[in-house]
Amino acid sequence: MYWLLWTGMLINRVGGFVALVLSLYLTSERDLKPSAAGLVVGLYGVGGMAGVLLGGVLADRWGRRPTLLLAHFGAVVFLGGLAVTERVPVIAALAALLGLMHSMPGPAFVAAIVDVVPAADRSRAFNLQFWAFNLGMAAASLLAGLLAEVSFTLLFTVDAAGTLVTAVLLLWKVRETRPAIGPAGNGSAGGEPRGGLHTALTDRAFVSFVGLSLLLAVVTLQTSTILPLAITADGLRPTVYGSVVAYAGLLIVAGQLFVPKLIDRWRKGTTLAVANVFLGLGFACVALADDVPGYLLAATVWTVGSMLAAPPNAAVIAELSPEALRGRYQSVFYLVFPAASFIAPAAGGAGLEFLGDWHWVICGGLGLLAAAGHLLIQPARERRAARLRQQEHHRLEVPATG
């Protein structure tokens, strides 16, 4: 089952490139200024914030499979709308709805992986998931640059086709993975917490980790929201942007499978701190880049950070999530990405327009701030994870009565 989910994510990412060039589409085809384009792209993130919460609740209550099907078939409809409309208000509305559908699958996909993969194998599973994501992203970035020079209508259509293929695969092959929960409903025997979204939102160790992940995401999403504008402002063609992002993806494809052996003996918080330092320095290097080699160098540095961050980031969320609330915990974590999808283009577009290269220096500072934060919260987070493991062990040892 894991490999079916893995394949679905890979196919989806190969076709999922609208978000990569939406800002470029709005400035080049619809004649919007960078700040206005950033706000429209930000609506994609607003829709995504609702999508991850809805996706997490549905994944726990309705099931992983129905949630994935609704999200993928819905995305096909809204991508079709973007392919045929030219009015900016309609594009803005469709961007918000597409963000809703694109964000819903995240909690369900990861919750399903946690359902079917034993705890000892999850770090490897998440590493392979990240590898597949970036293999798909590399292909998507090359396609995005090429299709953007031919036709944005064709670009939206191809994206819809890739999403439809994923939806059909899920409908045909993937079964439900949600674990059976006892009569307590949202809770279970043995000390597992009852509740819903509020349980995750009031878990201080978890929320602290999510806050630091938001800083990381705001910096990382510069590649898909603001970097295209910086590259074209330097007089380079859209294909250069596609090549830079594809290069970063190919680095991950080539090296990601070796990362677990490198970081196995490191504490997760330490690994994440080192990763954020590399990410911050990589984006700070964009301030000095004005040609292809400069952008490739910056991409190399930030990609090392992305490679180091992926396995421990996913593993921390899994170890902090009670079994009965996996979808909800994942949905709260996945709020990071639509929130960053709003903050990154909205603030980034204005930052690039009014601050110029200092925008990238600020991004570097955010990476260093997140690194320090991970070192500070590491002891409390590890204690919280250990308590949850003890509760789960006790629940398995003491069978429910009645």
Side-chain angles (χ1 to χ4, degrees), residues 63-155:
R64 302 359 176 179
R65 183 175 182 270
T67 303
L68 292 171
L69 292 175
L70 173 63
H72 284 83
F73 281 113
V76 171
V77 173
F78 298 126
L79 284 165
L82 283 172
V84 299
T85 189
E86 296 182 355
R87 298 180 58 193
V88 171
V90 178
I91 292 171
L94 288 171
L97 292 169
L98 185 61
L100 179 80
M101 294 300 163
H102 273 176
S103 296
M104 280 179 62
F109 261 132
V110 178
I113 289 173
V114 177
D115 292 341
V116 301
V117 177
D121 297 326
R122 285 174 189 162
S123 180
R124 176 172 171 268
F126 288 129
N127 194 63
L128 288 169
Q129 174 200 357
F130 186 67
W131 182 82
F133 179 90
N134 283 277
L135 177 61
M137 182 66 75
S141 300
L142 288 173
L143 286 171
L146 293 172
L147 292 174
E149 293 195 352
V150 177
S151 167
F152 280 100
T153 298
L154 179 62
L155 185 147

Coordinates of all heavy atoms in Angstrom, one line a residue, residues 63-155:
G63 N -12.4 9.2 6.3 CA -11.4 8.2 5.8 C -10.4 8.9 5.0 O -10.6 9.9 4.4
R64 N -9.2 8.2 4.8 CA -8.1 8.7 4.0 C -8.5 8.7 2.5 O -8.3 9.7 1.8 CB -6.8 7.9 4.2 CG -6.2 7.7 5.5 CD -6.6 8.3 6.8 NE -5.8 7.8 7.9 CZ -6.0 8.2 9.1 NH1 -7.0 9.0 9.4 NH2 -5.2 7.8 10.1
R65 N -9.0 7.6 2.1 CA -9.3 7.4 0.6 C -10.3 8.4 0.1 O -10.1 9.1 -0.9 CB -9.7 6.0 0.4 CG -10.0 5.6 -1.1 CD -10.3 4.1 -1.2 NE -10.4 3.7 -2.6 CZ -11.6 3.7 -3.2 NH1 -12.7 4.1 -2.6 NH2 -11.7 3.4 -4.5
P66 N -11.5 8.5 0.7 CA -12.5 9.5 0.2 C -12.0 10.9 0.2 O -12.3 11.7 -0.7 CB -13.7 9.3 1.2 CG -13.5 8.0 1.8 CD -12.1 7.8 1.9
T67 N -11.2 11.3 1.2 CA -10.6 12.6 1.2 C -9.7 12.9 0.1 O -9.7 13.9 -0.6 CB -9.8 12.8 2.6 OG1 -10.7 12.6 3.7 CG2 -9.3 14.3 2.7
L68 N -8.8 11.9 -0.2 CA -7.9 12.0 -1.4 C -8.7 12.1 -2.7 O -8.3 12.9 -3.6 CB -7.0 10.8 -1.4 CG -5.9 10.8 -0.3 CD1 -5.2 9.4 -0.3 CD2 -5.0 11.9 -0.4
L69 N -9.7 11.3 -2.9 CA -10.5 11.4 -4.1 C -11.2 12.7 -4.3 O -11.2 13.3 -5.4 CB -11.5 10.2 -4.1 CG -11.0 8.8 -4.2 CD1 -12.1 7.8 -4.0 CD2 -10.2 8.6 -5.5
L70 N -11.8 13.2 -3.3 CA -12.5 14.5 -3.4 C -11.5 15.6 -3.8 O -11.8 16.4 -4.7 CB -13.2 14.9 -2.0 CG -13.8 16.3 -1.9 CD1 -14.9 16.4 -2.9 CD2 -14.3 16.5 -0.5
A71 N -10.4 15.6 -3.1 CA -9.4 16.7 -3.4 C -8.9 16.6 -4.8 O -8.7 17.7 -5.5 CB -8.2 16.5 -2.4
H72 N -8.5 15.4 -5.3 CA -7.9 15.3 -6.6 C -9.0 15.6 -7.8 O -8.7 16.3 -8.7 CB -7.3 14.0 -6.8 CG -6.0 13.8 -6.1 ND1 -5.9 13.5 -4.8 CD2 -4.7 14.0 -6.5 CE1 -4.6 13.5 -4.4 NE2 -3.9 13.8 -5.5
F73 N -10.2 15.1 -7.6 CA -11.2 15.4 -8.7 C -11.6 16.8 -8.6 O -11.8 17.4 -9.7 CB -12.4 14.4 -8.5 CG -12.1 13.0 -9.0 CD1 -12.1 11.9 -8.2 CD2 -12.0 12.8 -10.4 CE1 -11.9 10.6 -8.7 CE2 -11.8 11.6 -10.9 CZ -11.7 10.5 -10.1
G74 N -11.7 17.4 -7.4 CA -12.0 18.8 -7.3 C -10.9 19.7 -8.0 O -11.2 20.7 -8.7
A75 N -9.6 19.3 -7.8 CA -8.5 20.1 -8.4 C -8.6 20.1 -9.9 O -8.3 21.1 -10.5 CB -7.2 19.6 -7.9
V76 N -9.0 19.0 -10.5 CA -9.1 18.9 -11.9 C -10.1 19.9 -12.4 O -9.9 20.6 -13.4 CB -9.6 17.5 -12.3 CG1 -9.9 17.4 -13.8 CG2 -8.5 16.4 -12.0
V77 N -11.2 20.1 -11.7 CA -12.3 21.0 -12.1 C -11.7 22.4 -12.1 O -11.9 23.2 -13.1 CB -13.5 20.9 -11.2 CG1 -14.5 22.0 -11.5 CG2 -14.2 19.5 -11.4
F78 N -11.1 22.8 -11.1 CA -10.6 24.2 -10.9 C -9.4 24.5 -11.8 O -9.3 25.7 -12.3 CB -10.3 24.5 -9.5 CG -11.5 24.4 -8.6 CD1 -11.5 23.6 -7.5 CD2 -12.7 25.1 -8.9 CE1 -12.6 23.5 -6.7 CE2 -13.8 24.9 -8.1 CZ -13.8 24.2 -7.0
L79 N -8.6 23.5 -12.1 CA -7.5 23.7 -13.1 C -8.1 24.0 -14.5 O -7.6 24.8 -15.3 CB -6.6 22.5 -13.1 CG -5.6 22.5 -11.9 CD1 -5.0 21.1 -11.8 CD2 -4.5 23.5 -12.1
G80 N -9.2 23.2 -14.8 CA -9.9 23.5 -16.0 C -10.4 24.9 -16.1 O -10.4 25.5 -17.2
G81 N -10.9 25.4 -15.0 CA -11.4 26.8 -15.0 C -10.3 27.8 -15.3 O -10.5 28.7 -16.1
L82 N -9.1 27.6 -14.7 CA -8.0 28.5 -15.0 C -7.5 28.4 -16.4 O -7.0 29.4 -17.0 CB -6.8 28.1 -14.1 CG -6.9 28.5 -12.6 CD1 -5.8 27.9 -11.8 CD2 -6.9 30.0 -12.5
A83 N -7.7 27.3 -17.1 CA -7.3 27.1 -18.5 C -8.2 28.0 -19.4 O -7.7 28.3 -20.5 CB -7.4 25.7 -18.9
V84 N -9.4 28.3 -19.0 CA -10.3 28.9 -20.0 C -10.7 30.4 -19.6 O -11.3 31.1 -20.4 CB -11.6 28.1 -20.1 CG1 -11.3 26.7 -20.7 CG2 -12.4 28.0 -18.8
T85 N -10.4 30.8 -18.4 CA -10.8 32.2 -18.0 C -9.7 33.2 -18.1 O -8.5 32.8 -18.1 CB -11.3 32.2 -16.5 OG1 -11.8 33.5 -16.2 CG2 -10.1 32.0 -15.5
E86 N -10.0 34.4 -18.4 CA -9.0 35.5 -18.5 C -9.3 36.7 -17.5 O -8.4 37.5 -17.4 CB -9.1 36.1 -19.9 CG -8.7 35.1 -21.0 CD -8.7 35.7 -22.4 OE1 -9.1 36.9 -22.5 OE2 -8.3 35.0 -23.4
R87 N -10.4 36.6 -16.8 CA -10.7 37.7 -15.9 C -10.0 37.5 -14.6 O -10.0 36.5 -13.9 CB -12.2 37.8 -15.6 CG -13.0 38.0 -16.9 CD -14.5 38.1 -16.6 NE -14.8 39.1 -15.6 CZ -16.0 39.2 -14.9 NH1 -16.9 38.3 -15.2 NH2 -16.2 40.1 -14.0
V88 N -9.3 38.6 -14.1 CA -8.5 38.5 -12.9 C -9.3 38.1 -11.7 O -8.9 37.3 -10.9 CB -7.7 39.8 -12.7 CG1 -7.0 39.8 -11.3 CG2 -6.7 40.0 -13.8
P89 N -10.5 38.7 -11.4 CA -11.3 38.3 -10.3 C -11.6 36.8 -10.3 O -11.6 36.2 -9.2 CB -12.5 39.2 -10.3 CG -12.1 40.4 -11.1 CD -11.1 39.9 -12.1
V90 N -12.0 36.3 -11.4 CA -12.3 34.9 -11.5 C -11.0 34.0 -11.3 O -11.1 33.0 -10.6 CB -12.9 34.5 -12.9 CG1 -13.1 33.0 -13.0 CG2 -14.2 35.3 -13.1
I91 N -9.9 34.5 -11.8 CA -8.6 33.8 -11.6 C -8.3 33.8 -10.1 O -7.9 32.8 -9.5 CB -7.5 34.5 -12.4 CG1 -7.7 34.3 -13.9 CG2 -6.1 33.9 -11.9 CD1 -6.7 35.1 -14.7
A92 N -8.5 34.9 -9.4 CA -8.3 35.0 -8.0 C -9.1 34.0 -7.2 O -8.7 33.3 -6.3 CB -8.5 36.4 -7.5
A93 N -10.4 33.9 -7.6 CA -11.3 33.0 -6.9 C -10.9 31.5 -7.2 O -10.9 30.7 -6.3 CB -12.8 33.2 -7.4
L94 N -10.6 31.2 -8.4 CA -10.2 29.9 -8.8 C -8.8 29.5 -8.0 O -8.7 28.3 -7.7 CB -10.0 29.7 -10.3 CG -11.3 29.7 -11.1 CD1 -11.0 29.8 -12.6 CD2 -12.1 28.5 -10.8
A95 N -8.0 30.5 -7.9 CA -6.7 30.2 -7.2 C -7.0 29.8 -5.7 O -6.4 28.9 -5.2 CB -5.8 31.4 -7.2
A96 N -7.9 30.5 -5.1 CA -8.3 30.2 -3.7 C -8.9 28.8 -3.6 O -8.6 28.0 -2.7 CB -9.3 31.2 -3.1
L97 N -9.8 28.4 -4.6 CA -10.4 27.1 -4.6 C -9.4 26.0 -4.9 O -9.5 24.9 -4.3 CB -11.6 27.1 -5.6 CG -12.8 28.0 -5.2 CD1 -13.7 28.1 -6.4 CD2 -13.5 27.4 -4.0
L98 N -8.5 26.3 -5.8 CA -7.5 25.3 -6.1 C -6.6 25.1 -4.9 O -6.2 24.0 -4.6 CB -6.6 25.8 -7.3 CG -5.6 24.8 -7.8 CD1 -6.2 23.6 -8.3 CD2 -4.8 25.5 -9.0
G99 N -6.2 26.2 -4.2 CA -5.5 26.0 -2.9 C -6.2 25.1 -2.0 O -5.5 24.3 -1.3
L100 N -7.5 25.2 -1.9 CA -8.3 24.4 -1.0 C -8.1 22.9 -1.4 O -7.8 22.1 -0.5 CB -9.8 24.8 -1.1 CG -10.8 24.0 -0.3 CD1 -10.8 24.4 1.2 CD2 -12.2 24.1 -0.9
M101 N -8.2 22.6 -2.7 CA -8.2 21.2 -3.1 C -6.7 20.7 -3.1 O -6.5 19.5 -2.8 CB -8.7 21.1 -4.5 CG -10.2 21.4 -4.6 SD -11.1 20.2 -3.6 CE -12.7 21.0 -3.5
H102 N -5.7 21.5 -3.4 CA -4.4 21.1 -3.4 C -3.9 20.8 -2.0 O -3.0 19.9 -1.8 CB -3.4 22.1 -4.0 CG -3.3 22.0 -5.5 ND1 -2.6 22.9 -6.3 CD2 -3.8 21.1 -6.4 CE1 -2.7 22.5 -7.5 NE2 -3.4 21.4 -7.6
S103 N -4.4 21.4 -1.0 CA -4.0 21.2 0.4 C -4.7 20.1 1.1 O -4.1 19.6 2.1 CB -4.1 22.5 1.2 OG -3.3 23.6 0.7
M104 N -5.9 19.7 0.7 CA -6.6 18.7 1.4 C -5.9 17.3 1.4 O -5.9 16.6 2.4 CB -8.0 18.5 0.7 CG -9.0 19.5 1.2 SD -10.6 19.3 0.4 CE -11.0 17.6 1.0
P105 N -5.2 16.9 0.4 CA -4.6 15.6 0.4 C -3.4 15.4 1.4 O -3.1 14.3 1.8 CB -4.1 15.4 -1.1 CG -4.8 16.4 -1.9 CD -5.0 17.5 -0.9
G106 N -2.7 16.5 1.7 CA -1.5 16.4 2.5 C -1.7 15.6 3.8 O -1.0 14.6 4.0
P107 N -2.6 16.0 4.7 CA -2.8 15.3 5.9 C -3.2 13.8 5.7 O -2.8 12.9 6.4 CB -3.9 16.1 6.6 CG -3.8 17.4 6.1 CD -3.4 17.3 4.7
A108 N -4.1 13.6 4.7 CA -4.6 12.2 4.4 C -3.4 11.3 3.9 O -3.3 10.2 4.3 CB -5.7 12.3 3.4
F109 N -2.6 11.9 3.0 CA -1.5 11.1 2.5 C -0.5 10.7 3.6 O -0.2 9.5 3.7 CB -0.7 11.9 1.4 CG -1.1 11.6 0.0 CD1 -1.3 12.6 -0.9 CD2 -1.1 10.3 -0.5 CE1 -1.6 12.4 -2.2 CE2 -1.4 10.0 -1.8 CZ -1.7 11.1 -2.7
V110 N -0.1 11.6 4.4 CA 0.8 11.3 5.5 C 0.2 10.4 6.5 O 0.9 9.5 7.0 CB 1.4 12.6 6.1 CG1 2.4 12.3 7.2 CG2 2.1 13.4 5.0
A111 N -1.0 10.7 6.9 CA -1.7 9.8 7.9 C -1.8 8.4 7.4 O -1.6 7.5 8.1 CB -3.1 10.4 8.2
A112 N -2.0 8.2 6.1 CA -2.1 6.9 5.5 C -0.7 6.2 5.6 O -0.6 5.0 5.8 CB -2.6 7.0 4.1
I113 N 0.3 7.0 5.3 CA 1.7 6.4 5.4 C 2.0 5.9 6.8 O 2.5 4.9 7.0 CB 2.7 7.4 4.9 CG1 2.6 7.6 3.4 CG2 4.1 7.0 5.2 CD1 3.5 8.7 2.8
V114 N 1.6 6.8 7.8 CA 1.9 6.4 9.2 C 1.0 5.2 9.5 O 1.5 4.3 10.3 CB 1.5 7.6 10.1 CG1 1.7 7.2 11.6 CG2 2.5 8.8 9.8
D115 N -0.2 5.1 9.0 CA -1.1 3.9 9.2 C -0.4 2.6 8.8 O -0.5 1.6 9.5 CB -2.4 4.1 8.5 CG -3.3 5.2 9.0 OD1 -3.0 5.6 10.1 OD2 -4.2 5.6 8.2
V116 N 0.3 2.6 7.6 CA 0.7 1.4 7.0 C 2.2 1.1 7.2 O 2.6 -0.1 6.9 CB 0.4 1.3 5.5 CG1 -1.1 1.5 5.3 CG2 1.2 2.4 4.7
V117 N 3.0 2.0 7.7 CA 4.4 1.8 7.9 C 4.7 1.7 9.4 O 4.4 2.6 10.1 CB 5.2 3.0 7.2 CG1 6.7 2.8 7.5 CG2 4.9 3.1 5.7
P118 N 5.4 0.6 9.8 CA 5.8 0.5 11.2 C 6.7 1.7 11.6 O 7.5 2.3 10.8 CB 6.6 -0.8 11.2 CG 6.1 -1.6 10.0 CD 5.8 -0.5 9.0
A119 N 6.7 2.0 12.9 CA 7.4 3.2 13.4 C 8.9 3.1 13.1 O 9.5 4.1 12.8 CB 7.2 3.3 14.9
A120 N 9.5 1.9 13.2 CA 10.9 1.8 12.9 C 11.3 2.1 11.5 O 12.5 2.4 11.2 CB 11.4 0.4 13.2
D121 N 10.4 2.0 10.5 CA 10.6 2.2 9.1 C 10.2 3.6 8.6 O 10.3 3.9 7.4 CB 10.0 1.1 8.3 CG 10.5 -0.2 8.6 OD1 11.7 -0.3 8.9 OD2 9.7 -1.2 8.5
R122 N 9.6 4.4 9.5 CA 9.0 5.7 9.0 C 10.0 6.7 8.5 O 9.7 7.4 7.5 CB 8.1 6.3 10.1 CG 6.8 5.5 10.3 CD 6.0 6.0 11.5 NE 4.9 5.1 11.7 CZ 4.2 5.1 12.9 NH1 4.6 5.9 13.9 NH2 3.2 4.3 13.1
S123 N 11.1 6.8 9.1 CA 12.1 7.7 8.7 C 12.5 7.4 7.2 O 12.6 8.3 6.4 CB 13.4 7.7 9.6 OG 14.3 8.6 9.1
R124 N 12.8 6.1 6.9 CA 13.1 5.7 5.6 C 11.9 6.0 4.6 O 12.1 6.5 3.5 CB 13.5 4.3 5.5 CG 13.7 3.7 4.2 CD 14.3 2.3 4.2 NE 14.4 1.7 2.9 CZ 13.4 0.9 2.4 NH1 12.3 0.7 3.1 NH2 13.6 0.4 1.2
A125 N 10.7 5.7 5.1 CA 9.5 5.9 4.3 C 9.4 7.4 3.9 O 9.1 7.8 2.8 CB 8.3 5.4 5.0
F126 N 9.5 8.3 4.9 CA 9.4 9.7 4.6 C 10.5 10.2 3.8 O 10.4 11.2 3.0 CB 9.4 10.5 6.0 CG 8.1 10.3 6.7 CD1 8.1 9.9 8.1 CD2 6.8 10.5 6.1 CE1 6.9 9.8 8.8 CE2 5.7 10.3 6.8 CZ 5.7 10.0 8.1
N127 N 11.7 9.7 3.9 CA 12.8 10.1 3.1 C 12.5 9.7 1.6 O 12.8 10.5 0.7 CB 14.1 9.3 3.5 CG 15.4 10.0 2.9 OD1 15.7 11.1 3.2 ND2 16.1 9.2 2.1
L128 N 12.0 8.5 1.4 CA 11.6 8.1 0.0 C 10.5 9.0 -0.5 O 10.4 9.3 -1.7 CB 11.2 6.6 0.0 CG 12.3 5.6 0.2 CD1 11.8 4.2 0.4 CD2 13.2 5.6 -1.1
Q129 N 9.5 9.4 0.4 CA 8.4 10.2 0.0 C 9.0 11.6 -0.5 O 8.6 12.1 -1.6 CB 7.5 10.5 1.1 CG 6.4 11.5 0.9 CD 5.8 12.1 2.2 OE1 6.2 11.7 3.2 NE2 4.9 13.0 2.0
F130 N 9.9 12.1 0.2 CA 10.6 13.4 -0.1 C 11.3 13.3 -1.5 O 11.3 14.2 -2.3 CB 11.5 13.9 1.0 CG 12.1 15.3 0.8 CD1 11.2 16.4 0.8 CD2 13.4 15.4 0.6 CE1 11.8 17.6 0.6 CE2 14.0 16.7 0.4 CZ 13.1 17.8 0.4
W131 N 12.0 12.1 -1.6 CA 12.7 11.9 -2.9 C 11.8 11.8 -4.1 O 12.0 12.4 -5.1 CB 13.4 10.5 -2.7 CG 14.3 10.1 -3.9 CD1 15.6 10.6 -4.2 CD2 14.0 9.2 -4.9 NE1 16.0 10.0 -5.3 CE2 15.1 9.2 -5.8 CE3 12.8 8.5 -5.2 CZ2 15.1 8.4 -6.9 CZ3 12.8 7.7 -6.4 CH2 13.9 7.6 -7.2
A132 N 10.6 11.2 -3.9 CA 9.6 11.1 -5.0 C 9.1 12.5 -5.3 O 8.9 12.9 -6.4 CB 8.5 10.1 -4.6
F133 N 8.8 13.2 -4.2 CA 8.3 14.6 -4.4 C 9.2 15.4 -5.3 O 8.8 16.1 -6.2 CB 8.1 15.2 -3.0 CG 7.6 16.6 -3.0 CD1 6.2 16.9 -3.0 CD2 8.5 17.7 -3.1 CE1 5.7 18.2 -3.1 CE2 8.0 19.0 -3.1 CZ 6.6 19.3 -3.1
N134 N 10.5 15.3 -5.0 CA 11.4 16.2 -5.7 C 11.8 15.6 -7.1 O 12.1 16.4 -8.0 CB 12.7 16.3 -4.9 CG 12.5 17.3 -3.8 OD1 12.6 18.5 -4.0 ND2 12.2 16.9 -2.6
L135 N 11.7 14.3 -7.3 CA 11.8 13.7 -8.6 C 10.6 14.3 -9.5 O 10.9 14.8 -10.6 CB 11.7 12.2 -8.6 CG 11.7 11.5 -9.9 CD1 13.0 11.8 -10.7 CD2 11.5 10.0 -9.7
G136 N 9.4 14.3 -8.9 CA 8.3 14.9 -9.6 C 8.5 16.4 -9.8 O 8.1 16.9 -10.9
M137 N 9.0 17.1 -8.8 CA 9.2 18.5 -8.9 C 10.2 18.9 -10.0 O 10.1 19.9 -10.7 CB 9.6 19.1 -7.6 CG 9.8 20.6 -7.6 SD 8.2 21.5 -7.8 CE 7.5 21.2 -6.2
A138 N 11.2 18.1 -10.1 CA 12.2 18.3 -11.2 C 11.6 18.3 -12.5 O 11.8 19.1 -13.4 CB 13.4 17.3 -11.0
A139 N 10.8 17.2 -12.8 CA 10.2 17.1 -14.1 C 9.1 18.2 -14.3 O 9.0 18.8 -15.4 CB 9.5 15.7 -14.1
A140 N 8.4 18.5 -13.2 CA 7.4 19.6 -13.3 C 8.0 20.9 -13.6 O 7.5 21.7 -14.4 CB 6.6 19.7 -12.0
S141 N 9.2 21.2 -13.0 CA 9.8 22.5 -13.2 C 10.3 22.7 -14.7 O 10.1 23.8 -15.3 CB 11.0 22.7 -12.3 OG 10.6 22.6 -10.9
L142 N 10.9 21.6 -15.2 CA 11.3 21.7 -16.6 C 10.0 21.9 -17.5 O 10.1 22.7 -18.5 CB 12.0 20.4 -17.0 CG 13.4 20.3 -16.4 CD1 14.0 18.9 -16.7 CD2 14.3 21.3 -17.0
L143 N 9.0 21.1 -17.3 CA 7.7 21.3 -18.0 C 7.2 22.7 -17.9 O 6.7 23.3 -18.9 CB 6.7 20.2 -17.6 CG 7.0 18.8 -18.1 CD1 6.0 17.9 -17.4 CD2 6.8 18.7 -19.6
A144 N 7.2 23.2 -16.7 CA 6.6 24.5 -16.4 C 7.3 25.6 -17.2 O 6.7 26.5 -17.9 CB 6.7 24.9 -14.9
G145 N 8.6 25.6 -17.2 CA 9.4 26.6 -18.0 C 9.1 26.5 -19.5 O 8.9 27.5 -20.2
L146 N 9.1 25.3 -20.0 CA 8.8 25.1 -21.4 C 7.4 25.4 -21.8 O 7.2 26.1 -22.8 CB 9.1 23.6 -21.8 CG 10.6 23.1 -21.7 CD1 10.7 21.6 -21.9 CD2 11.4 23.9 -22.7
L147 N 6.4 25.0 -21.0 CA 5.0 25.2 -21.4 C 4.7 26.7 -21.2 O 3.8 27.2 -21.9 CB 4.1 24.4 -20.5 CG 4.1 22.9 -20.8 CD1 3.3 22.1 -19.7 CD2 3.7 22.6 -22.2
A148 N 5.3 27.4 -20.2 CA 5.1 28.8 -20.0 C 5.5 29.7 -21.3 O 4.9 30.7 -21.6 CB 5.8 29.3 -18.8
E149 N 6.5 29.2 -22.0 CA 6.9 29.9 -23.2 C 6.0 29.6 -24.4 O 6.0 30.3 -25.4 CB 8.4 29.6 -23.5 CG 9.3 30.1 -22.5 CD 10.8 30.1 -23.0 OE1 11.0 29.5 -24.1 OE2 11.6 30.6 -22.3
V150 N 5.3 28.5 -24.3 CA 4.3 28.1 -25.4 C 2.9 28.6 -25.1 O 2.4 29.4 -25.9 CB 4.3 26.6 -25.6 CG1 3.3 26.2 -26.6 CG2 5.7 26.0 -25.9
S151 N 2.4 28.3 -24.0 CA 1.0 28.6 -23.7 C 0.7 28.3 -22.2 O 0.8 27.2 -21.8 CB 0.0 27.9 -24.6 OG -1.3 28.0 -24.2
F152 N 0.2 29.3 -21.5 CA -0.3 29.1 -20.1 C -1.5 28.2 -20.1 O -1.8 27.5 -19.2 CB -0.5 30.4 -19.4 CG 0.8 31.0 -18.9 CD1 1.4 32.1 -19.6 CD2 1.4 30.6 -17.8 CE1 2.6 32.6 -19.2 CE2 2.6 31.1 -17.3 CZ 3.2 32.2 -18.0
T153 N -2.4 28.3 -21.2 CA -3.5 27.5 -21.2 C -3.1 26.0 -21.3 O -3.7 25.2 -20.6 CB -4.4 27.9 -22.5 OG1 -4.8 29.2 -22.3 CG2 -5.6 26.9 -22.6
L154 N -2.1 25.7 -22.1 CA -1.6 24.4 -22.2 C -1.1 23.9 -20.9 O -1.2 22.8 -20.5 CB -0.6 24.3 -23.3 CG 0.1 22.9 -23.5 CD1 -0.9 21.9 -24.0 CD2 1.2 23.0 -24.6
L155 N -0.4 24.8 -20.2 CA 0.2 24.5 -18.9 C -0.9 24.0 -17.9 O -0.7 23.0 -17.2 CB 1.0 25.7 -18.4 CG 1.8 25.6 -17.1 CD1 3.0 26.4 -17.1 CD2 0.9 26.0 -15.9

